[in-house]
Amino acid sequence: MHRNEYRQRRKRLLGMMPENSIAILPTSPAHPRNRDVEFPFRPESTFHYLTGFDEPEAVAVMIPDREEGEFLMFCRDRDAHAERWDGQRLGLKGVRRRHGVEQSFDIESIDRHLPDLIDGRSCIFYTIGNHPALDRRMIEWISALRIRSRMQPPADIVPVDRLVDEMRLRKSETEMDAMREAARISARAHERAMRICRPGMNECEIEAELMHEFMRSGCRSPAYPSIVAGGANACVLHYVSNDCVLEDGGLLLIDAGAEYRYYAADITRTFPVNGKFSPTQRDLYALVLAAQEAAIAAVAPKNTLEDVHQAAVETLVDGLTGMGLIKGRRNDILKNHRYARFYMHRTGHWLGMDVHDVGDYRVKGEWRGLAPGMVTTVEPGLYFAPDERNIPDELRGIGIRIEDDVLVNEDGGEVLTAAAAKSIEEIEAITGTGSAS
């Protein structure tokens, strides 16, 4: 992402902030994994969206029309001893040079400097609840201001998300390009998993193939923990154990996406472990695919995600009633959500820097209209749990989901993940045909 992109974002935020206000945005802390080991660090999305800075222990501050500078940063300064152990830091000078920071302070001095910056401000834009340690310090600083006669504590504390989430919802051309690349990499990973899959493999072996493709393509991390669910495990929507043997005749559901330059892809494909759908699997898969095609066709400006969901649900209901799995009138089934025993989740969610990205789905109580630059997943599915009652035995333990990422444009939707095989013919032609290269 070019430095100017971050500068333009900050300019937009500052333009939305009222006079005499301040925005305070901390990044994520480092999280311990176990003794003397930390999880790999990833900056908090909104912080990075506005700054481009990707070191821990930092707080960005933005103050409109401040003579000494509108963009301030508290971060770690250079430290030769610490850097020998943990790697180079930008430091106070480096963050000004590389990220356009106008004034920088050592993070260790935040108790001394930030209360003075808050003093006299009529409004603080700060999201309480995401960073408990900083929340406590904010309360202490504001309480101290109240008892110091010359200081005036802020009148309002407003979540900064209210401003930035709307900015993040509609993607710039640079963001779209990053998401297209994340989608291309993820599509290659899914095809790799199909090619390598054989009965008798473990789910974790397939996960390793996904990670191999992600990393060799420049992605250090998946966008979320990969779901590699063979057989009945696919009926657990957020299954992440990934430790079971893949059985001949079963299906494998993979829900996995790469994170490229902090932007996520999110793809789900379901395919037969042995490369050939059974007649029952084929019929169910064709139904889910038809529901997804109907939902993707509904992705267009001024339509809503509820329209997208309803297009999928109506197709699924028609298919399930045709198979005799649901009985009754179509409108009654839809009104009372009687399909939910087999399809219990929504058809899509916003996608961006976070896999479940920010942005309201409703505005003033009404479903918001889709607009160019928004990105949504489209992911209908059918799930027949092993203990589901009153269904044919051959359905038990089958879970099928098909998911793509769709960018709203002026004419409809661009399927960013179209390169990932999903037709029955494509899947059967690819699965099990060779080793990963």
Side-chain angles (χ1 to χ4, degrees):
M1 205 73 66
H2 192 273
R3 174 173 166 175
N4 188 55
E5 178 104 2
Y6 298 106
R7 182 166 57 246
Q8 291 301 316
R9 292 169 182 173
R10 292 193 296 271
K11 183 177 179 180
R12 285 180 61 194
L13 175 61
L14 288 162
M16 290 187 287
M17 293 170 60
E19 183 180 353
N20 200 35
S21 61
I22 183 173
I24 300 170
L25 300 103
T27 193
S28 304
H31 290 286
R33 180 184 184 275
N34 57 341
R35 182 180 174 87
D36 296 331
V37 178
E38 293 178 343
F39 285 103
F41 175 74
R42 184 197 187 277
E44 198 275 334
S45 293
T46 292
F47 174 92
H48 192 273
Y49 178 81
L50 292 166
T51 68
F53 187 59
D54 57 8
E55 294 183 19
E57 297 181 59
V59 177
V61 178
M62 295 174 205
I63 306 173
D65 301 319
R66 181 173 178 265
E67 290 184 5
E68 301 94 322
E70 295 182 309
F71 177 31
L72 298 75
M73 182 80 77
F74 290 88
C75 63
R76 302 176 305 180
D77 203 359
R78 300 295 303 274
D79 183 322
H81 176 74
E83 290 177 55
R84 180 172 291 275
W85 287 93
D86 298 321
Q88 188 172 350
R89 303 173 178 179
L90 275 182
L92 303 186
K93 292 181 180 179
V95 79
R96 294 197 300 270
R97 181 178 63 252
R98 183 176 297 182
H99 294 284
V101 171
E102 295 165 280
Q103 198 171 11
S104 56
F105 303 89
D106 192 318
I107 190 67
E108 298 297 329
S109 69
I110 194 169
D111 288 311
R112 183 165 72 253
H113 293 294
L114 194 50
D116 290 339
L117 295 170
I118 293 172
D119 177 30
R121 303 289 167 190
S122 59
C123 178
I124 297 178
F125 287 94
Y126 173 78
T127 301
I128 294 173
N130 293 340
H131 303 272
L134 187 57
D135 290 353
R136 290 191 291 271
R137 294 167 86 172
M138 288 283 291
I139 292 170
E140 291 172 0
W141 296 330
I142 292 171
S143 297
L145 291 178
R146 286 200 175 101
I147 61 175
R148 291 162 64 178
S149 59
R150 68 182 183 86
M151 299 286 197
Q152 177 61 46
D156 296 304
I157 300 178
V158 179
V160 72
D161 301 350
R162 292 187 185 179
L163 302 180
V164 185
D165 287 2
E166 287 299 300
M167 294 170 56
R168 287 177 54 188
L169 182 56
R170 296 181 67 165
K171 309 302 186 284
S172 69
E173 289 295 333
T174 305
E175 291 177 286
M176 293 178 198
D177 287 343
M179 295 190 71
R180 288 186 181 100
E181 185 60 20
R184 282 191 288 266
I185 293 167
S186 301
R188 289 199 301 268
H190 277 264
E191 183 173 329
R192 182 187 185 93
M194 289 180 188
R195 286 201 316 268
I196 200 69
C197 184
R198 301 286 195 285
M201 293 183 73
N202 195 287
E203 293 165 343
C204 66
E205 294 179 74
I206 302 297
E207 182 179 14
E209 297 295 334
L210 297 167
M211 289 299 300
H212 178 94
E213 193 64 40
F214 292 167
M215 286 199 169
R216 80 169 187 170
S217 301
C219 301
R220 288 289 296 156
S221 172
Y224 52 96
S226 298
I227 297 170
V228 183
N233 293 334
C235 297
V236 180
L237 298 182
H238 292 160
Y239 173 82
V240 291
S241 298
N242 300 352
D243 60 0
C244 292
V245 173
L246 300 176
E247 297 183 1
D248 194 0
L251 295 176
L252 174 59
L253 183 155
I254 299 177
D255 186 338
E259 181 178 271
Y260 179 76
R261 296 182 179 175
Y262 299 114
Y263 284 84
D266 187 1
I267 303 177
T268 305
R269 293 293 185 263
T270 309
F271 58 93
V273 171
N274 64 12
K276 191 73 174 177
F277 287 99
S278 72
T280 297
Q281 292 168 351
R282 178 180 288 259
D283 290 344
L284 291 172
Y285 185 91
L287 175 55
V288 175
L289 183 58
Q292 199 213 24
E293 290 170 345
I296 289 174
V299 177
K302 297 185 180 179
N303 282 353
T304 69
L305 283 188
E306 176 64 9
D307 295 326
V308 174
H309 179 64
Q310 287 303 314
V313 166
E314 289 172 8
T315 304
L316 291 175
V317 166
D318 290 344
L320 291 170
T321 53
M323 294 177 181
L325 295 170
I326 303 179
K327 299 185 185 298
R329 294 184 301 176
R330 184 183 197 238
N331 289 344
D332 180 61
I333 294 169
L334 292 168
K335 179 180 178 180
N336 294 291
H337 300 144
R338 287 173 49 208
Y339 55 82
R341 59 189 289 221
F342 305 128
Y343 179 45
M344 61 292 296
H345 59 79
R346 299 287 299 178
T347 302
H349 55 76
W350 303 133
L351 185 70
M353 295 187 78
D354 299 319
V355 69
H356 287 179
D357 209 33
V358 296
D360 292 332
Y361 292 93
R362 294 174 182 263
V363 178
K364 297 180 179 179
E366 299 294 329
W367 288 99
R368 82 182 307 153
L370 298 174
M374 296 178 178
V375 182
T376 180
T377 63
V378 179
E379 50 179 305
L382 287 173
Y383 311 92
F384 302 91
D387 59 355
E388 183 68 54
R389 301 174 62 185
N390 301 319
I391 62 172
D393 287 343
E394 63 266 24
L395 297 184
R396 299 183 196 281
I398 290 180
I400 298 171
R401 183 165 65 253
I402 308 171
E403 177 181 20
D404 282 292
D405 306 339
V406 185
L407 167 66
V408 184
N409 56 34
E410 297 289 348
D411 302 320
E414 174 191 344
V415 182
L416 302 178
T417 48
K422 68 177 176 180
S423 74
I424 290 173
E425 294 74 22
E426 289 176 308
I427 287 172
E428 291 188 337
I430 293 172
T431 303
T433 56
S435 60
S437 59

